């Protein structure tokens, strides 16, 4: 089916769609594509899920979490990604089987429509074939993209079937609005741990006991050092010569793909929208409005100001209708034909497209064509110098590596080079002086002392390294971490003292009330101010247990039932007031709230349905899972 799309190749080499399709490939593309299967981790209605399938799904999940966690690999290591991936693959295999059982299918026409409407494949509101081609060139398994989209449509249709009829009544909306927007105001006493910490002294015996009871935060990981040579292309640029013939040859080879600009226009437009199902009267009214706007333009009205005021295109109206520069093939045919027929400053007649009626003004109309050699000479010289300096750096590194492979000692083979040394570094850490170079740390820990790595290519240099100075992971002595242990142990002791003092206050408050107990103890009572269930508590932050308890308190029983912790401080709280929701904003919030509750109900129904499918498969003996296979191989 994609042959029609594939034949429109493009030289635009951008990577797209990974974020858009990641969940599809976890849920559908991995388990459905096939390929070599070495170990079956699960079998669902005869469909095998292999160790390889799980590994590929884990790779996608890892990329997603790394983006969300922004390098917090310590958190990433605590997640059971293999288990998550296996659960997801089992769920999606169950859904595939259920779709087949119910006769839910996807035609080629459905598939074509879905692909051509993917948001990531749109440019200025129109399907961009070059973007699809760019993605397809990165496809590891032929047909994987098409299969993932097809299976994604199946899932959407099955979800729609399951959730059909799930709705939210007006009474449910009102009840939820009242619940969400009720307000509580609390009185509270904070016993601050920081106020108690300075008075706490700890003996060496107490510090050692704390270290023995909490070893993990202080454990010293395995570390290594490395001697290395960095072959930096930037240092070799002065040795590179680029002749006129080289420039002319490069220009001739890349004239079409690098130095030819297409004809383009930079246009503004004013859109009067017309829906696809609009009747003749509605179309006539829209055309009339567009003609009136065109008359204003011809009478001298500022086009950009008029577009801001009147255009119904949400993507460009705020920018005065500006669509930027675009070449042919990026707009619907009627719009494109009108725009490219105009010269700079020209204004079109009313143009009809599937989106409605447009008035178009062209701001620029570069004719395109081949850039002359002299205009790009500097760019070519810089490119050739960079390429040749990199090649020279690689050649030097390869020659030195060959000497080492033939038995020449590391320092002898690199005589005349600058050999640098790192301080100790741990696995997964940034290397001081080197940074995060893929393969550098991994190579250092994969080699034994005295062994030399293969070439490691980083963004700015090529490296040869020899690790040394290995140290095993170990528990430190108290003297090595005394300062950290002292701070942590003192904080723990201060927090315990704060809880003890607050607990006494809470016990007394149960007898005579918080205000009198606080006055008796000589401590200050504060107020949070009003907050809703979904808010952070003013001055205290997000304390889920206190928020939940706050809305169970009453004027007759105002004291919160336990102590609460806010950043190590101990909190005793009591209700000041509970205020019913102000219903003045209900009408304006109904649509958004209905959408939210509808989504929650859909998710609940789909979760229950997945549980049913899994239980049914187990009863029928059609679900066989071997999670232990994840730890083998």
């Amino acid at each position: 089916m994609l042959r029609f799309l594939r034949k429109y190749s493009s030289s635009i080499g951008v990577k797209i769609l990974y974020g858009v399709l990641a969940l599809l490939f976890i849920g559908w593309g991995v388990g459905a594509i096939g390929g070599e299967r070495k170990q079956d981790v699960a079998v669902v209605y005869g469909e095998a899920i292999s160790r390889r399938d799980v590994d590929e799904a884990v790779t996608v999940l890892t990329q997603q979490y790394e983006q969300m966690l922004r390098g917090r690999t310590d958190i990433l290591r605590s997640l059971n990604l293999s288990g998550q991936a296996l659960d997801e693959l089992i769920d999606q295999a169950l859904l595939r089987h259920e779709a087949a059982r119910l006769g839910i299918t996807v035609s080629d026409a459905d598939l074509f429509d879905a692909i051509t409407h993917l948001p990531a494949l749109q440019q200025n509101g129109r399907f961009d074939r070059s973007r699809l081609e760019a993605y397809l060139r990165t496809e590891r398994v032929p047909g994987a993209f098409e299969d993932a989209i097809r299976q994604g449509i199946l899932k959407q249709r099955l979800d729609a079937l399951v959730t059909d009829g799930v709705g939210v009544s007006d009474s449910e909306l009102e009840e939820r609005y009242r619940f969400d927007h009720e307000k509580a105001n609390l009185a509270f006493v904070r016993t601050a741990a920081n106020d108690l910490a300075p008075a706490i002294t700890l003996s060496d015996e107490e510090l050692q006991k704390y270290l023995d009871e909490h070893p993990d935060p202080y454990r010293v990981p395995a570390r290594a050092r490395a001697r290395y040579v960095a072959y930096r292309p930037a240092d070799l640029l002065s040795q590179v010569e680029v002749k006129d013939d080289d420039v002319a040859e490069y220009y001739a080879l890349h004239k079409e793909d690098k130095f030819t600009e297409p004809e383009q226009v930079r246009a503004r437009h004013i859109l009067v929208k017309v829906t696809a199902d609009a009747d003749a009267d509605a179309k006539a009214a829209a055309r009339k409005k567009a003609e009136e706007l065109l008359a204003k333009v011809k009478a001298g009205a500022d086009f950009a100001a008029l577009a801001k005021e009147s255009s119904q295109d949400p993507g460009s109206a705020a920018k005065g209708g500006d669509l930027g520069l675009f070449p042919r093939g990026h707009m619907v045919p009627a719009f494109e034909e009108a725009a490219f027929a105009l010269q700079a400053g020209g204004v079109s007649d009313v143009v009809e497209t599937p989106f409605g009626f447009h008035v178009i003004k062209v701001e620029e109309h570069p004719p395109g064509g081949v850039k002359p050699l002299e205009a790009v000479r500097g760019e070519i010289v810089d490119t050739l110098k960079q390429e040749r300096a990199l090649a020279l750096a690689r050649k030097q590194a390869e020659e030195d590596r060959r000497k080492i492979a033939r038995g020449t000692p590391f320092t002898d083979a690199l005589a005349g080079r600058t050999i640098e040394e790192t301080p100790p570094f741990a696995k997964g850490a940034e290397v001081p002086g080197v940074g995060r170079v893929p393969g550098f740390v991994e190579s250092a820990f994969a080699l034994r002392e005295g062994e030399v790595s293969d070439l490691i290519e980083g963004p700015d240099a090529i490296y040869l390294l020899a690790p040394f100075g290995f140290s095993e992971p170990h528990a430190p002595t108290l003297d090595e971490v005394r300062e950290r242990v002292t701070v942590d142990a003192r904080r723990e002791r201060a927090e315990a003292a704060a809880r003890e003092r607050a607990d006494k206050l809470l016990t007394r408050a149960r007898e005579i009330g918080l205000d009198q107990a606080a006055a008796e103890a000589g401590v200050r009572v504060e107020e949070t101010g009003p907050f809703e269930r979904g808010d952070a508590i003013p001055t205290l932050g997000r304390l889920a247990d206190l928020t939940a308890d706050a809305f169970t308190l009453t004027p007759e029983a105002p004291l919160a039932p336990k102590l609460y912790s806010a950043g190590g401080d101990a909190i005793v709280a009591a209700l000041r007031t509970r205020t019913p929701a102000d219903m003045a904003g209900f009408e304006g919030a109904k649509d958004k709230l209905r959408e939210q509750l509808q989504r929650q109900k859909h998710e609940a129904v789909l979760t229950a349905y997945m549980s049913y499918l899994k239980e049914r498969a187990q009863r029928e003996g059609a679900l066989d899972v071997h999670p232990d296979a994840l730890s083998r191989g």
Side-chain angles (χ1 to χ4, degrees):
M1 200 287 302
L2 285 178
R3 283 180 298 173
F4 169 75
L5 296 172
R6 289 178 186 272
K7 74 178 183 178
Y8 292 96
S9 62
S10 167
S11 63
I12 300 176
V14 292
K15 292 184 179 179
I16 57 171
L17 292 180
Y18 286 114
V20 176
L21 298 173
L23 290 177
L24 280 178
F25 279 107
I26 290 176
W28 297 100
V30 174
I33 291 168
E36 180 185 359
R37 297 187 181 278
K38 294 183 178 179
Q39 291 178 300
D40 289 343
V41 181
V43 180
V44 184
Y45 286 103
E47 179 184 333
I49 297 172
S50 71
R51 170 67 182 270
R52 179 178 176 179
D53 295 333
V54 177
D55 288 345
E56 291 193 13
V58 167
T59 297
V60 178
L61 280 173
T62 300
Q63 292 170 348
Q64 291 180 325
Y65 277 117
E66 284 176 343
Q67 291 176 354
M68 288 189 291
L69 297 174
R70 297 183 180 180
R72 288 293 306 278
T73 55
D74 54 328
I75 298 177
L76 188 63
R77 285 193 294 270
S78 70
L79 301 174
N80 180 16
L81 296 187
S82 293
Q84 288 187 44
L86 176 58
D87 288 344
E88 183 69 17
L89 291 173
I90 289 171
D91 286 352
Q92 301 304 338
L94 289 168
L95 288 173
R96 278 196 294 277
H97 175 268
E98 184 69 356
R101 188 184 72 82
L102 296 173
I104 300 174
T105 60
V106 179
S107 68
D108 284 351
D110 296 331
L111 182 63
F112 183 89
D113 184 65
I115 291 173
T116 55
H117 284 85
L118 278 173
L121 298 180
Q122 306 302 305
Q123 175 72 22
N124 294 325
R126 186 181 182 190
F127 169 64
D128 186 345
R129 289 184 292 266
S130 65
R131 293 190 172 201
L132 175 63
E133 287 295 332
Y135 175 74
L136 293 177
R137 286 196 294 275
T138 70
E139 192 175 44
R140 289 180 296 172
V141 180
F145 171 79
E146 182 176 345
D147 186 68
I149 299 297
R150 186 184 296 276
Q151 300 298 335
I153 299 170
L154 279 179
K155 182 181 183 302
Q156 289 174 355
R157 290 180 176 177
L158 184 59
D159 288 355
L161 181 65
V162 171
T163 59
D164 183 41
V166 175
V168 179
S169 68
D170 285 347
S171 61
E172 287 178 295
L173 287 177
E174 184 173 343
E175 181 182 355
R176 180 58 182 267
Y177 188 88
R178 291 184 186 279
F179 180 85
D180 287 346
H181 295 283
E182 181 184 11
K183 287 180 166 51
N185 177 27
L186 299 178
F188 70 94
V189 173
R190 182 200 300 264
T191 305
N194 284 344
D195 294 343
L196 305 178
I200 294 172
T201 58
L202 297 160
S203 67
D204 280 0
E205 289 75 14
E206 290 172 314
L207 293 174
Q208 185 64 55
K209 184 174 184 292
Y210 182 87
L211 178 58
D212 292 341
E213 292 174 349
H214 307 84
D216 290 343
Y218 310 101
R219 190 173 298 278
V220 179
R223 295 181 184 274
R225 299 183 66 191
R227 296 183 181 92
Y228 68 93
V229 170
Y231 302 83
R232 296 182 175 87
D235 296 339
L236 303 174
L237 287 172
S238 61
Q239 300 179 31
V240 174
E241 181 183 2
V242 177
K243 298 179 180 179
D244 287 346
D245 289 348
D246 300 330
V247 174
E249 181 182 4
Y250 187 92
Y251 178 75
L253 286 172
H254 296 282
K255 184 182 295 185
E256 296 299 324
D257 63 327
K258 290 188 176 182
F259 305 123
T260 298
E261 291 187 343
E263 179 188 12
Q264 298 183 89
V265 295
R266 179 182 167 219
R268 298 181 185 271
H269 80 136
I270 301 171
L271 170 65
V272 180
K273 275 188 176 180
V274 177
T275 60
D277 57 352
D279 58 23
D281 289 342
K283 284 188 175 182
R287 177 181 285 277
K288 182 180 179 183
K289 183 176 179 181
E291 289 171 345
E292 291 171 352
L293 292 168
L294 175 60
K296 291 182 180 180
V297 171
K298 289 183 175 179
D302 181 90
F303 194 99
L306 198 59
K308 284 183 179 181
E309 177 186 332
S310 303
S311 180
Q312 295 172 342
D313 175 13
S316 69
K319 298 181 290 186
D322 192 355
L323 298 171
L325 277 167
F326 55 88
R328 294 184 184 273
H330 286 252
M331 297 293 180
V332 292
F335 189 100
E336 181 177 288
E337 182 180 348
F340 278 87
L342 297 169
Q343 297 302 314
V347 177
S348 72
D349 291 330
V350 172
V351 177
E352 182 178 0
T353 75
F355 299 102
F357 296 96
H358 308 254
V359 179
I360 305 167
K361 180 181 180 182
V362 168
E363 301 283 1
E364 301 176 48
H365 193 151
V370 179
K371 294 180 182 178
L373 174 58
E374 289 309 311
V376 296
R377 178 180 294 276
E379 177 185 343
I380 294 174
V381 169
D382 288 343
T383 299
L384 289 174
K385 280 190 172 184
Q386 294 289 342
E387 290 179 357
R388 293 180 182 183
L390 176 59
L392 182 56
R394 189 178 291 118
K395 179 183 177 183
Q396 291 180 357
E398 288 170 346
E399 289 173 350
D400 291 346
R401 185 67 184 86
R402 281 194 292 270
K403 293 177 189 176
I404 294 168
R406 290 194 292 265
T408 306
F410 184 80
T411 53
D412 293 344
L414 300 172
R417 308 280 187 207
T418 300
I419 300 177
E420 302 177 71
E421 292 187 358
T422 71
F425 57 87
K427 285 184 179 179
E430 183 171 319
V431 181
V434 175
R436 293 191 180 275
V437 174
F440 193 100
V441 173
E442 294 80 358
S443 293
F445 280 94
L447 298 169
R448 292 189 293 270
E449 187 158 342
E451 293 183 331
V452 180
S453 71
D454 290 328
L455 302 189
I456 300 166
E457 295 208 15
D460 302 312
I462 299 168
Y463 299 89
L464 275 178
L465 69 86
F468 71 100
F470 288 100
S471 63
E472 294 299 320
H474 64 278
T477 64
L478 176 59
D479 285 342
E480 290 179 277
V481 291
R482 178 182 295 275
E483 185 175 342
R484 289 172 57 200
V485 171
T486 300
V487 170
D488 294 344
R490 182 177 285 135
R491 182 178 63 246
E492 182 184 82
R493 187 74 63 84
E495 290 176 359
R499 286 193 300 273
E500 182 179 352
R501 184 174 295 185
D503 190 53
K504 291 178 180 177
L505 177 66
L506 176 61
T507 300
R508 185 61 173 150
R510 287 179 179 136
E511 299 170 355
I512 62 175
L514 179 60
D515 289 311
Q516 289 188 46
E520 185 178 276
V523 294
R524 184 165 65 98
V525 178
E526 303 177 64
E527 286 194 18
T528 62
F531 61 92
E532 298 177 354
R533 282 181 171 86
D535 296 340
I537 302 176
T539 75
L540 292 178
R542 292 198 175 274
L543 306 181
D545 51 350
L546 178 54
T547 299
D549 288 345
F551 288 91
T552 67
L553 303 176
T554 65
E556 295 74 28
L559 187 66
K562 62 181 182 181
L563 297 181
Y564 305 88
S565 177
D569 297 342
I571 307 297
V572 180
L575 180 69
R576 275 285 188 257
T577 57
R578 274 178 67 180
T579 308
D582 180 357
M583 301 301 290
F586 175 59
E587 287 301 322
K590 277 178 70 173
D591 290 343
K592 186 175 181 180
L593 183 58
R594 189 185 301 276
E595 181 182 334
Q596 175 189 338
L597 295 185
Q598 187 93 2
R599 184 169 58 250
Q600 291 174 357
K601 280 193 170 186
H602 280 194
E603 290 172 356
V605 168
L606 291 172
T607 298
Y609 187 63
M610 280 308 311
S611 297
Y612 160 73
L613 292 181
K614 191 168 291 185
E615 291 168 4
R616 186 182 71 186
Q618 289 170 336
R619 288 197 310 271
E620 296 174 355
L623 177 58
D624 188 17
V625 183
H626 303 283
D628 57 307
L630 293 176
S631 60
R632 300 196 303 264

